[in-house]
Amino acid sequence: MRRISAEDLTQLMREKLKKYGVDEEISSSCAKLMVENSLDGIYSHGINRFPKLISFLSKKYIKPQNKPSCICSFGAFEQWDGNLGMGTTNAKTCMDRTIEIARKYGIGCVALRNTNHWMRGGAYGLQAAEAGCIGICWTNTKPNMPAWGAKDCRIGNNPLIMCIPHKGGHIMVDAAMAQFSYGAIEEAKYACRLLPVHGGYDSDGNLSSDPVEIEKTGRVLPIGYWKGSGYSIVMDMIAACLANGNSTQELGKLGEDEFSMSQIFIAIDLKKSGGDPDEKINSIIEDLKGSIRVNEGQEILYPNEKATHTRIDNLQNGIPVEDKVWSQIQLL
């Protein structure tokens, strides 16, 4: 494994994207976001995902010159069409618009259809938090997870993001409805390590933490078993209905690859709530840190706290890149 500086990696990604017809503005924005994801340790939706992004450009699923457009507006709620443009910049544009609406009404919601993979959904939660807003967003996916009690994949692992602004480091949950996203499973496979807990089923139908076996069967495990399955189904219904876009079922009919998804962006302006949110959040964190530990040396972390430490290390020492991933990028 090698380490590459954020600046060098950004330049490399930007130049590769431009060779596939992506203009300067979009290639710069996309490269910056993917490097930011990698700096926070989310390699599965940063550097490791870059070869797949390029393959989607090659297959013409992504129309890199297309930009999202507003279809209709109803006060605090708007419906947008991504026009199959770059998923990262589509999502950033829609969260920017959601924040604008929240400034006016206190809360804003944009439903986006016909868009592409947004990489790390947490990037848009953090975008809202940087603007002083609570950010909530999610996306549907192609069928890549069995419903609870089923063997075949008919629901998506539909990531859900909730982010709260905080001066000491934004608080965020960014979680797929599967115990592990496919990106995290792939990352474990590249590193030749087992998952820390069961993440799916092997070929014999047994629960497994082996990423190779889980990839082979495609039977990932919903979080909370039936609860994750239920959340996935309802989130898909809300996104598809509000965006008037594709559901997970309809995405499955488009082929093996994943494009033209439906996404939801919500922003809530904390300034409208009154009081001092940071004071309340600090009190909650202080109480959390006072927990009785199972293991004496184990630190109790709030959601997204680990990413802050990882970012410091990666900025100082460079972003770690698996040799296999680096070879794929060089061959693009």
Side-chain angles (χ1 to χ4, degrees):
M1 183 183 294
R2 66 194 69 218
R3 284 198 177 240
I4 303 171
S5 73
E7 293 78 11
D8 289 346
L9 206 53
T10 302
Q11 182 178 350
L12 174 68
M13 286 183 174
R14 185 171 59 242
E15 293 306 314
K16 295 281 186 183
L17 287 167
K18 285 164 66 176
K19 288 181 179 179
Y20 282 84
V22 184
D23 68 28
E24 179 69 38
E25 180 186 359
I26 294 177
S27 62
S28 294
S29 176
C30 183
K32 180 177 182 295
L33 182 136
M34 295 188 79
V35 169
E36 290 287 329
N37 295 346
S38 301
L39 281 171
D40 283 351
I42 316 299
Y43 313 113
S44 59
H45 291 73
I47 181 66
N48 290 3
R49 180 75 61 158
F50 191 68
K52 188 168 286 188
L53 171 64
I54 294 295
S55 78
F56 274 40
L57 284 164
S58 299
K59 294 174 182 178
K60 310 296 183 185
Y61 295 140
I62 300 172
K63 315 295 183 187
Q65 306 308 325
N66 290 1
K67 295 185 178 180
S69 54
C70 182
I71 302 302
C72 52
S73 177
F74 307 97
F77 169 68
E78 291 184 354
Q79 194 179 80
W80 283 56
D81 192 316
N83 299 309
L84 286 179
M86 186 73 77
T88 54
T89 46
N90 278 356
K92 183 180 184 301
T93 299
C94 286
M95 184 54 89
D96 274 337
R97 178 56 188 152
T98 306
I99 293 165
E100 283 181 27
I101 299 170
R103 292 276 187 259
K104 182 176 181 180
Y105 295 104
I107 187 169
C109 177
V110 168
L112 174 66
R113 67 173 177 249
N114 202 27
T115 193
N116 283 298
H117 201 300
W118 63 5
M119 300 303 147
R120 177 198 185 192
Y124 316 107
L126 292 169
Q127 181 183 337
E130 282 294 307
C133 293
I134 291 172
I136 303 171
C137 52
W138 69 88
T139 181
N140 64 6
T141 70
K142 69 178 183 179
N144 59 14
M145 183 169 75
W148 182 247
K151 288 186 177 181
D152 57 331
C153 295
R154 301 209 180 194
I155 65 175
N157 62 356
N158 306 347
L160 170 66
I161 294 87
M162 294 183 286
C163 191
I164 306 162
H166 178 237
K167 290 176 184 174
H170 303 315
I171 319 294
M172 181 171 68
V173 170
D174 178 356
M177 291 301 107
Q179 184 67 45
F180 297 95
S181 69
Y182 274 93
I185 291 169
E186 187 176 55
E187 187 181 333
K189 182 183 73 172
Y190 282 148
C192 298
R193 58 176 168 79
L194 296 176
L195 299 168
V197 296
H198 290 149
Y201 296 87
D202 63 18
S203 303
D204 297 322
N206 299 314
L207 283 170
S208 174
S209 56
D210 185 341
V212 176
E213 278 295 309
I214 296 167
E215 267 198 350
K216 196 184 300 180
T217 64
R219 289 184 64 193
V220 295
L221 187 67
I223 60 170
Y225 304 113
W226 53 88
K227 295 178 182 178
S229 176
Y231 274 117
S232 166
I233 294 164
V234 171
M235 287 162 59
D236 174 46
M237 289 176 176
I238 294 172
C241 290
L242 286 184
N244 193 21
N246 287 321
S247 66
T248 289
Q249 177 196 17
E250 290 165 325
L251 290 172
K253 295 175 181 177
L254 299 179
E256 289 187 11
D257 291 321
E258 185 177 73
F259 61 98
S260 194
M261 289 93 79
S262 302
Q263 296 173 348
I264 298 293
F265 302 85
I266 298 169
I268 304 167
D269 189 352
L270 261 183
K271 292 177 183 175
K272 302 283 198 294
S273 67
D276 183 357
D278 248 20
E279 184 180 334
K280 194 172 291 291
I281 290 168
N282 285 333
S283 174
I284 294 168
I285 291 174
E286 186 180 349
D287 180 65
L288 179 73
K289 296 289 187 180
S291 301
I292 300 170
R293 291 160 170 73
V294 174
N295 299 313
E296 190 55 41
Q298 181 181 355
E299 187 179 3
I300 307 298
L301 302 173
Y302 60 76
N304 200 49
E305 186 177 2
K306 183 179 178 182
T308 305
H309 305 312
T310 304
R311 173 176 283 262
I312 292 169
D313 177 50
N314 285 348
L315 280 170
Q316 289 177 345
N317 302 307
I319 295 167
V321 183
E322 295 285 347
D323 292 336
K324 182 176 179 180
V325 174
W326 183 247
S327 297
Q328 288 175 340
I329 291 173
Q330 293 301 306
L331 291 171
L332 292 174

